[in-house]
Amino acid sequence: MKKKIVLINLFMSLTVLFAMLFQTVHSYEHVYKQLKEKPCDHQYVEGQKQITHSHTVDSNCHVCHFAFSTFIPNTFQSLSFHKVNNETSYVFFYTKVASTFFKGSLFALRAPPALI
């Protein structure tokens, strides 16, 4: 089990190292491409438009703009809960109505009768 964890740790560290080194080597590729280009001599002919090549530099390289980040933006909507206060009126005098009407025997009371 320890050997498996050591191999996984080694693989993950080599993956991160490769990502960082690949970006550096790729930036040298851009420099090599700029040094390899031939300087161009423009010979303009008046009254004649010629488009033979372009001078744009591809600056939108996704490999060069890659960076490690620890922040993941939150795209979820947040919910806010509010406490609802309902005011109630208090009753200060409670009365209990005493009923003298007998409603039958209660079979749930299975104890012997108490003498008062």
Side-chain angles (χ1 to χ4, degrees):
M1 188 66 176
K2 281 187 175 183
K3 192 173 188 178
K4 186 178 181 180
I5 292 174
V6 168
L7 287 175
I8 290 173
N9 285 340
L10 179 67
F11 177 72
M12 291 298 173
S13 62
L14 288 176
T15 305
V16 171
L17 182 66
F18 173 75
M20 293 180 346
L21 288 178
F22 182 73
Q23 188 176 15
T24 306
V25 170
H26 181 74
S27 66
Y28 285 120
E29 179 186 355
H30 287 296
V31 172
Y32 176 72
K33 189 186 292 184
Q34 286 178 354
L35 291 175
K36 188 179 174 185
E37 285 181 356
K38 296 178 187 176
C40 62
D41 259 344
H42 292 279
Q43 297 174 357
Y44 295 107
V45 178
E46 195 170 323
Q48 198 176 30
K49 294 183 181 180
Q50 296 177 351
I51 301 175
T52 57
H53 60 279
S54 84
H55 288 276
T56 60
V57 177
D58 186 22
S59 63
N60 190 14
C61 182
H62 296 292
V63 176
C64 293
H65 292 292
F66 176 77
F68 288 104
S69 175
T70 58
F71 176 73
I72 299 174
N74 187 4
T75 58
F76 299 108
Q77 294 180 355
S78 63
L79 298 175
S80 59
F81 296 101
H82 301 286
K83 185 176 178 183
V84 178
N85 292 331
N86 292 332
E87 293 187 21
T88 58
S89 60
Y90 294 104
V91 178
F92 294 109
F93 298 104
Y94 293 104
T95 58
K96 184 177 180 181
V97 178
S99 174
T100 57
F101 181 72
F102 180 70
K103 297 180 182 176
S105 66
L106 295 173
F107 292 106
L109 300 175
R110 296 180 53 100
L115 299 175
I116 300 179

PDB file of all heavy atoms in Angstrom, residues 79-107:
ATOM      1  N   LEU A  79     -28.146  32.080  -1.639  1.00  0.00           N
ATOM      2  CA  LEU A  79     -29.456  32.227  -1.020  1.00  0.00           C
ATOM      3  C   LEU A  79     -29.287  32.936   0.311  1.00  0.00           C
ATOM      4  O   LEU A  79     -28.378  32.633   1.084  1.00  0.00           O
ATOM      5  CB  LEU A  79     -30.100  30.859  -0.795  1.00  0.00           C
ATOM      6  CG  LEU A  79     -30.380  30.030  -2.035  1.00  0.00           C
ATOM      7  CD1 LEU A  79     -30.909  28.657  -1.638  1.00  0.00           C
ATOM      8  CD2 LEU A  79     -31.380  30.727  -2.920  1.00  0.00           C
ATOM      9  N   SER A  80     -30.161  33.870   0.582  1.00  0.00           N
ATOM     10  CA  SER A  80     -30.114  34.551   1.873  1.00  0.00           C
ATOM     11  C   SER A  80     -31.423  34.276   2.610  1.00  0.00           C
ATOM     12  O   SER A  80     -32.504  34.401   2.047  1.00  0.00           O
ATOM     13  CB  SER A  80     -29.917  36.053   1.683  1.00  0.00           C
ATOM     14  OG  SER A  80     -30.978  36.584   0.916  1.00  0.00           O
ATOM     15  N   PHE A  81     -31.290  33.883   3.856  1.00  0.00           N
ATOM     16  CA  PHE A  81     -32.446  33.558   4.676  1.00  0.00           C
ATOM     17  C   PHE A  81     -32.675  34.689   5.673  1.00  0.00           C
ATOM     18  O   PHE A  81     -31.742  35.159   6.315  1.00  0.00           O
ATOM     19  CB  PHE A  81     -32.213  32.241   5.425  1.00  0.00           C
ATOM     20  CG  PHE A  81     -32.072  31.068   4.501  1.00  0.00           C
ATOM     21  CD1 PHE A  81     -30.825  30.560   4.193  1.00  0.00           C
ATOM     22  CD2 PHE A  81     -33.185  30.483   3.926  1.00  0.00           C
ATOM     23  CE1 PHE A  81     -30.678  29.495   3.341  1.00  0.00           C
ATOM     24  CE2 PHE A  81     -33.060  29.409   3.070  1.00  0.00           C
ATOM     25  CZ  PHE A  81     -31.809  28.915   2.771  1.00  0.00           C
ATOM     26  N   HIS A  82     -33.910  35.110   5.789  1.00  0.00           N
ATOM     27  CA  HIS A  82     -34.263  36.179   6.711  1.00  0.00           C
ATOM     28  C   HIS A  82     -35.154  35.612   7.805  1.00  0.00           C
ATOM     29  O   HIS A  82     -36.058  34.810   7.546  1.00  0.00           O
ATOM     30  CB  HIS A  82     -35.009  37.306   5.987  1.00  0.00           C
ATOM     31  CG  HIS A  82     -34.217  37.919   4.867  1.00  0.00           C
ATOM     32  ND1 HIS A  82     -33.162  38.764   5.097  1.00  0.00           N
ATOM     33  CD2 HIS A  82     -34.301  37.783   3.524  1.00  0.00           C
ATOM     34  CE1 HIS A  82     -32.641  39.146   3.942  1.00  0.00           C
ATOM     35  NE2 HIS A  82     -33.317  38.543   2.965  1.00  0.00           N
ATOM     36  N   LYS A  83     -34.919  36.043   9.023  1.00  0.00           N
ATOM     37  CA  LYS A  83     -35.715  35.592  10.150  1.00  0.00           C
ATOM     38  C   LYS A  83     -37.011  36.410  10.196  1.00  0.00           C
ATOM     39  O   LYS A  83     -36.976  37.638  10.178  1.00  0.00           O
ATOM     40  CB  LYS A  83     -34.941  35.777  11.454  1.00  0.00           C
ATOM     41  CG  LYS A  83     -35.650  35.232  12.654  1.00  0.00           C
ATOM     42  CD  LYS A  83     -34.796  35.366  13.890  1.00  0.00           C
ATOM     43  CE  LYS A  83     -35.550  34.847  15.095  1.00  0.00           C
ATOM     44  NZ  LYS A  83     -34.785  35.015  16.311  1.00  0.00           N
ATOM     45  N   VAL A  84     -38.103  35.706  10.236  1.00  0.00           N
ATOM     46  CA  VAL A  84     -39.412  36.362  10.264  1.00  0.00           C
ATOM     47  C   VAL A  84     -39.877  36.418  11.710  1.00  0.00           C
ATOM     48  O   VAL A  84     -39.976  35.393  12.392  1.00  0.00           O
ATOM     49  CB  VAL A  84     -40.433  35.592   9.393  1.00  0.00           C
ATOM     50  CG1 VAL A  84     -41.791  36.258   9.465  1.00  0.00           C
ATOM     51  CG2 VAL A  84     -39.942  35.504   7.966  1.00  0.00           C
ATOM     52  N   ASN A  85     -40.156  37.625  12.207  1.00  0.00           N
ATOM     53  CA  ASN A  85     -40.635  37.801  13.578  1.00  0.00           C
ATOM     54  C   ASN A  85     -42.134  38.057  13.550  1.00  0.00           C
ATOM     55  O   ASN A  85     -42.598  39.063  13.012  1.00  0.00           O
ATOM     56  CB  ASN A  85     -39.927  38.977  14.251  1.00  0.00           C
ATOM     57  CG  ASN A  85     -38.468  38.693  14.482  1.00  0.00           C
ATOM     58  OD1 ASN A  85     -38.088  37.555  14.656  1.00  0.00           O
ATOM     59  ND2 ASN A  85     -37.660  39.741  14.472  1.00  0.00           N
ATOM     60  N   ASN A  86     -42.884  37.143  14.136  1.00  0.00           N
ATOM     61  CA  ASN A  86     -44.331  37.326  14.274  1.00  0.00           C
ATOM     62  C   ASN A  86     -44.616  37.704  15.722  1.00  0.00           C
ATOM     63  O   ASN A  86     -44.353  36.922  16.646  1.00  0.00           O
ATOM     64  CB  ASN A  86     -45.089  36.042  13.912  1.00  0.00           C
ATOM     65  CG  ASN A  86     -44.968  35.729  12.442  1.00  0.00           C
ATOM     66  OD1 ASN A  86     -44.805  36.631  11.631  1.00  0.00           O
ATOM     67  ND2 ASN A  86     -45.042  34.456  12.097  1.00  0.00           N
ATOM     68  N   GLU A  87     -45.166  38.887  15.921  1.00  0.00           N
ATOM     69  CA  GLU A  87     -45.491  39.321  17.276  1.00  0.00           C
ATOM     70  C   GLU A  87     -46.851  38.768  17.659  1.00  0.00           C
ATOM     71  O   GLU A  87     -47.816  38.857  16.904  1.00  0.00           O
ATOM     72  CB  GLU A  87     -45.493  40.843  17.353  1.00  0.00           C
ATOM     73  CG  GLU A  87     -44.107  41.429  17.151  1.00  0.00           C
ATOM     74  CD  GLU A  87     -44.087  42.926  17.389  1.00  0.00           C
ATOM     75  OE1 GLU A  87     -45.000  43.425  18.064  1.00  0.00           O
ATOM     76  OE2 GLU A  87     -43.157  43.561  16.898  1.00  0.00           O
ATOM     77  N   THR A  88     -46.908  38.196  18.848  1.00  0.00           N
ATOM     78  CA  THR A  88     -48.166  37.632  19.339  1.00  0.00           C
ATOM     79  C   THR A  88     -48.586  38.383  20.585  1.00  0.00           C
ATOM     80  O   THR A  88     -47.763  38.912  21.329  1.00  0.00           O
ATOM     81  CB  THR A  88     -48.002  36.139  19.678  1.00  0.00           C
ATOM     82  OG1 THR A  88     -46.969  36.009  20.657  1.00  0.00           O
ATOM     83  CG2 THR A  88     -47.649  35.330  18.441  1.00  0.00           C
ATOM     84  N   SER A  89     -49.891  38.431  20.788  1.00  0.00           N
ATOM     85  CA  SER A  89     -50.397  39.087  22.008  1.00  0.00           C
ATOM     86  C   SER A  89     -50.466  38.048  23.119  1.00  0.00           C
ATOM     87  O   SER A  89     -50.814  36.892  22.894  1.00  0.00           O
ATOM     88  CB  SER A  89     -51.776  39.690  21.747  1.00  0.00           C
ATOM     89  OG  SER A  89     -52.666  38.657  21.372  1.00  0.00           O
ATOM     90  N   TYR A  90     -50.106  38.462  24.304  1.00  0.00           N
ATOM     91  CA  TYR A  90     -50.064  37.561  25.442  1.00  0.00           C
ATOM     92  C   TYR A  90     -51.385  37.633  26.205  1.00  0.00           C
ATOM     93  O   TYR A  90     -51.964  38.694  26.395  1.00  0.00           O
ATOM     94  CB  TYR A  90     -48.910  37.920  26.376  1.00  0.00           C
ATOM     95  CG  TYR A  90     -47.565  37.689  25.742  1.00  0.00           C
ATOM     96  CD1 TYR A  90     -46.809  38.757  25.269  1.00  0.00           C
ATOM     97  CD2 TYR A  90     -47.065  36.406  25.602  1.00  0.00           C
ATOM     98  CE1 TYR A  90     -45.581  38.547  24.678  1.00  0.00           C
ATOM     99  CE2 TYR A  90     -45.844  36.188  25.004  1.00  0.00           C
ATOM    100  CZ  TYR A  90     -45.106  37.263  24.549  1.00  0.00           C
ATOM    101  OH  TYR A  90     -43.901  37.046  23.969  1.00  0.00           O
ATOM    102  N   VAL A  91     -51.833  36.457  26.662  1.00  0.00           N
ATOM    103  CA  VAL A  91     -53.036  36.377  27.495  1.00  0.00           C
ATOM    104  C   VAL A  91     -52.548  36.153  28.920  1.00  0.00           C
ATOM    105  O   VAL A  91     -51.836  35.191  29.200  1.00  0.00           O
ATOM    106  CB  VAL A  91     -53.941  35.219  27.035  1.00  0.00           C
ATOM    107  CG1 VAL A  91     -55.155  35.116  27.934  1.00  0.00           C
ATOM    108  CG2 VAL A  91     -54.353  35.424  25.589  1.00  0.00           C
ATOM    109  N   PHE A  92     -52.959  37.047  29.840  1.00  0.00           N
ATOM    110  CA  PHE A  92     -52.454  36.972  31.201  1.00  0.00           C
ATOM    111  C   PHE A  92     -53.332  36.131  32.115  1.00  0.00           C
ATOM    112  O   PHE A  92     -52.876  35.641  33.119  1.00  0.00           O
ATOM    113  CB  PHE A  92     -52.302  38.384  31.778  1.00  0.00           C
ATOM    114  CG  PHE A  92     -51.241  39.167  31.066  1.00  0.00           C
ATOM    115  CD1 PHE A  92     -51.569  40.213  30.234  1.00  0.00           C
ATOM    116  CD2 PHE A  92     -49.905  38.846  31.219  1.00  0.00           C
ATOM    117  CE1 PHE A  92     -50.594  40.944  29.579  1.00  0.00           C
ATOM    118  CE2 PHE A  92     -48.925  39.567  30.569  1.00  0.00           C
ATOM    119  CZ  PHE A  92     -49.269  40.619  29.743  1.00  0.00           C
ATOM    120  N   PHE A  93     -54.608  35.954  31.797  1.00  0.00           N
ATOM    121  CA  PHE A  93     -55.503  35.198  32.660  1.00  0.00           C
ATOM    122  C   PHE A  93     -56.023  33.993  31.903  1.00  0.00           C
ATOM    123  O   PHE A  93     -56.699  34.127  30.887  1.00  0.00           O
ATOM    124  CB  PHE A  93     -56.683  36.066  33.115  1.00  0.00           C
ATOM    125  CG  PHE A  93     -56.260  37.247  33.919  1.00  0.00           C
ATOM    126  CD1 PHE A  93     -56.245  38.516  33.369  1.00  0.00           C
ATOM    127  CD2 PHE A  93     -55.845  37.091  35.232  1.00  0.00           C
ATOM    128  CE1 PHE A  93     -55.842  39.604  34.103  1.00  0.00           C
ATOM    129  CE2 PHE A  93     -55.437  38.186  35.969  1.00  0.00           C
ATOM    130  CZ  PHE A  93     -55.429  39.441  35.408  1.00  0.00           C
ATOM    131  N   TYR A  94     -55.691  32.825  32.416  1.00  0.00           N
ATOM    132  CA  TYR A  94     -56.190  31.591  31.835  1.00  0.00           C
ATOM    133  C   TYR A  94     -57.228  31.012  32.775  1.00  0.00           C
ATOM    134  O   TYR A  94     -57.043  30.991  33.980  1.00  0.00           O
ATOM    135  CB  TYR A  94     -55.057  30.577  31.642  1.00  0.00           C
ATOM    136  CG  TYR A  94     -54.042  31.001  30.610  1.00  0.00           C
ATOM    137  CD1 TYR A  94     -52.800  31.494  30.982  1.00  0.00           C
ATOM    138  CD2 TYR A  94     -54.338  30.906  29.260  1.00  0.00           C
ATOM    139  CE1 TYR A  94     -51.876  31.882  30.030  1.00  0.00           C
ATOM    140  CE2 TYR A  94     -53.424  31.297  28.305  1.00  0.00           C
ATOM    141  CZ  TYR A  94     -52.200  31.777  28.693  1.00  0.00           C
ATOM    142  OH  TYR A  94     -51.301  32.164  27.762  1.00  0.00           O
ATOM    143  N   THR A  95     -58.322  30.547  32.240  1.00  0.00           N
ATOM    144  CA  THR A  95     -59.370  29.940  33.069  1.00  0.00           C
ATOM    145  C   THR A  95     -59.606  28.528  32.582  1.00  0.00           C
ATOM    146  O   THR A  95     -59.513  28.235  31.379  1.00  0.00           O
ATOM    147  CB  THR A  95     -60.686  30.730  32.964  1.00  0.00           C
ATOM    148  OG1 THR A  95     -61.088  30.767  31.599  1.00  0.00           O
ATOM    149  CG2 THR A  95     -60.532  32.141  33.493  1.00  0.00           C
ATOM    150  N   LYS A  96     -59.918  27.655  33.511  1.00  0.00           N
ATOM    151  CA  LYS A  96     -60.210  26.271  33.185  1.00  0.00           C
ATOM    152  C   LYS A  96     -61.658  26.013  33.588  1.00  0.00           C
ATOM    153  O   LYS A  96     -62.061  26.300  34.709  1.00  0.00           O
ATOM    154  CB  LYS A  96     -59.263  25.340  33.939  1.00  0.00           C
ATOM    155  CG  LYS A  96     -59.436  23.895  33.580  1.00  0.00           C
ATOM    156  CD  LYS A  96     -58.414  23.031  34.301  1.00  0.00           C
ATOM    157  CE  LYS A  96     -58.634  21.587  33.904  1.00  0.00           C
ATOM    158  NZ  LYS A  96     -57.688  20.722  34.590  1.00  0.00           N
ATOM    159  N   VAL A  97     -62.369  25.449  32.644  1.00  0.00           N
ATOM    160  CA  VAL A  97     -63.781  25.156  32.907  1.00  0.00           C
ATOM    161  C   VAL A  97     -63.856  23.782  33.543  1.00  0.00           C
ATOM    162  O   VAL A  97     -63.350  22.799  32.997  1.00  0.00           O
ATOM    163  CB  VAL A  97     -64.585  25.196  31.586  1.00  0.00           C
ATOM    164  CG1 VAL A  97     -66.026  24.855  31.852  1.00  0.00           C
ATOM    165  CG2 VAL A  97     -64.441  26.548  30.932  1.00  0.00           C
ATOM    166  N   ALA A  98     -64.456  23.729  34.695  1.00  0.00           N
ATOM    167  CA  ALA A  98     -64.621  22.456  35.400  1.00  0.00           C
ATOM    168  C   ALA A  98     -65.941  21.839  34.960  1.00  0.00           C
ATOM    169  O   ALA A  98     -66.993  22.446  35.055  1.00  0.00           O
ATOM    170  CB  ALA A  98     -64.605  22.665  36.900  1.00  0.00           C
ATOM    171  N   SER A  99     -65.873  20.620  34.486  1.00  0.00           N
ATOM    172  CA  SER A  99     -67.071  19.926  34.021  1.00  0.00           C
ATOM    173  C   SER A  99     -67.453  18.879  35.045  1.00  0.00           C
ATOM    174  O   SER A  99     -66.631  18.093  35.493  1.00  0.00           O
ATOM    175  CB  SER A  99     -66.785  19.269  32.669  1.00  0.00           C
ATOM    176  OG  SER A  99     -67.877  18.490  32.280  1.00  0.00           O
ATOM    177  N   THR A 100     -68.671  18.859  35.392  1.00  0.00           N
ATOM    178  CA  THR A 100     -69.171  17.878  36.367  1.00  0.00           C
ATOM    179  C   THR A 100     -69.901  16.742  35.674  1.00  0.00           C
ATOM    180  O   THR A 100     -70.427  15.866  36.319  1.00  0.00           O
ATOM    181  CB  THR A 100     -70.129  18.563  37.346  1.00  0.00           C
ATOM    182  OG1 THR A 100     -71.198  19.168  36.619  1.00  0.00           O
ATOM    183  CG2 THR A 100     -69.396  19.588  38.173  1.00  0.00           C
ATOM    184  N   PHE A 101     -69.899  16.736  34.383  1.00  0.00           N
ATOM    185  CA  PHE A 101     -70.597  15.715  33.636  1.00  0.00           C
ATOM    186  C   PHE A 101     -69.693  14.499  33.500  1.00  0.00           C
ATOM    187  O   PHE A 101     -68.553  14.608  33.082  1.00  0.00           O
ATOM    188  CB  PHE A 101     -70.988  16.271  32.256  1.00  0.00           C
ATOM    189  CG  PHE A 101     -71.742  15.304  31.400  1.00  0.00           C
ATOM    190  CD1 PHE A 101     -73.057  14.989  31.710  1.00  0.00           C
ATOM    191  CD2 PHE A 101     -71.158  14.700  30.309  1.00  0.00           C
ATOM    192  CE1 PHE A 101     -73.757  14.107  30.927  1.00  0.00           C
ATOM    193  CE2 PHE A 101     -71.847  13.814  29.530  1.00  0.00           C
ATOM    194  CZ  PHE A 101     -73.160  13.511  29.836  1.00  0.00           C
ATOM    195  N   PHE A 102     -70.197  13.309  33.858  1.00  0.00           N
ATOM    196  CA  PHE A 102     -69.435  12.080  33.787  1.00  0.00           C
ATOM    197  C   PHE A 102     -69.541  11.511  32.374  1.00  0.00           C
ATOM    198  O   PHE A 102     -70.628  11.293  31.863  1.00  0.00           O
ATOM    199  CB  PHE A 102     -69.963  11.072  34.811  1.00  0.00           C
ATOM    200  CG  PHE A 102     -69.211   9.770  34.787  1.00  0.00           C
ATOM    201  CD1 PHE A 102     -67.906   9.709  35.244  1.00  0.00           C
ATOM    202  CD2 PHE A 102     -69.800   8.603  34.310  1.00  0.00           C
ATOM    203  CE1 PHE A 102     -67.227   8.521  35.233  1.00  0.00           C
ATOM    204  CE2 PHE A 102     -69.115   7.426  34.296  1.00  0.00           C
ATOM    205  CZ  PHE A 102     -67.824   7.381  34.759  1.00  0.00           C
ATOM    206  N   LYS A 103     -68.399  11.237  31.773  1.00  0.00           N
ATOM    207  CA  LYS A 103     -68.392  10.775  30.395  1.00  0.00           C
ATOM    208  C   LYS A 103     -68.098   9.290  30.280  1.00  0.00           C
ATOM    209  O   LYS A 103     -67.731   8.822  29.212  1.00  0.00           O
ATOM    210  CB  LYS A 103     -67.342  11.560  29.605  1.00  0.00           C
ATOM    211  CG  LYS A 103     -67.654  13.029  29.526  1.00  0.00           C
ATOM    212  CD  LYS A 103     -66.584  13.748  28.750  1.00  0.00           C
ATOM    213  CE  LYS A 103     -66.921  15.229  28.751  1.00  0.00           C
ATOM    214  NZ  LYS A 103     -65.912  16.035  28.114  1.00  0.00           N
ATOM    215  N   GLY A 104     -68.167   8.567  31.273  1.00  0.00           N
ATOM    216  CA  GLY A 104     -67.902   7.134  31.212  1.00  0.00           C
ATOM    217  C   GLY A 104     -66.615   6.807  31.929  1.00  0.00           C
ATOM    218  O   GLY A 104     -65.948   7.655  32.492  1.00  0.00           O
ATOM    219  N   SER A 105     -66.288   5.538  31.975  1.00  0.00           N
ATOM    220  CA  SER A 105     -65.082   5.129  32.682  1.00  0.00           C
ATOM    221  C   SER A 105     -63.901   5.141  31.721  1.00  0.00           C
ATOM    222  O   SER A 105     -64.049   4.926  30.532  1.00  0.00           O
ATOM    223  CB  SER A 105     -65.272   3.739  33.286  1.00  0.00           C
ATOM    224  OG  SER A 105     -65.407   2.806  32.242  1.00  0.00           O
ATOM    225  N   LEU A 106     -62.761   5.391  32.270  1.00  0.00           N
ATOM    226  CA  LEU A 106     -61.536   5.391  31.493  1.00  0.00           C
ATOM    227  C   LEU A 106     -60.813   4.066  31.727  1.00  0.00           C
ATOM    228  O   LEU A 106     -60.340   3.776  32.812  1.00  0.00           O
ATOM    229  CB  LEU A 106     -60.640   6.564  31.894  1.00  0.00           C
ATOM    230  CG  LEU A 106     -61.203   7.943  31.602  1.00  0.00           C
ATOM    231  CD1 LEU A 106     -60.304   9.001  32.201  1.00  0.00           C
ATOM    232  CD2 LEU A 106     -61.347   8.163  30.120  1.00  0.00           C
ATOM    233  N   PHE A 107     -60.767   3.196  30.695  1.00  0.00           N
ATOM    234  CA  PHE A 107     -60.144   1.892  30.848  1.00  0.00           C
ATOM    235  C   PHE A 107     -58.616   1.986  30.871  1.00  0.00           C
ATOM    236  O   PHE A 107     -57.951   1.039  31.234  1.00  0.00           O
ATOM    237  CB  PHE A 107     -60.608   0.968  29.718  1.00  0.00           C
ATOM    238  CG  PHE A 107     -62.060   0.626  29.816  1.00  0.00           C
ATOM    239  CD1 PHE A 107     -62.983   1.181  28.958  1.00  0.00           C
ATOM    240  CD2 PHE A 107     -62.501  -0.269  30.792  1.00  0.00           C
ATOM    241  CE1 PHE A 107     -64.309   0.865  29.058  1.00  0.00           C
ATOM    242  CE2 PHE A 107     -63.832  -0.587  30.888  1.00  0.00           C
ATOM    243  CZ  PHE A 107     -64.752  -0.025  30.017  1.00  0.00           C
TER     244      PHE A 107
END
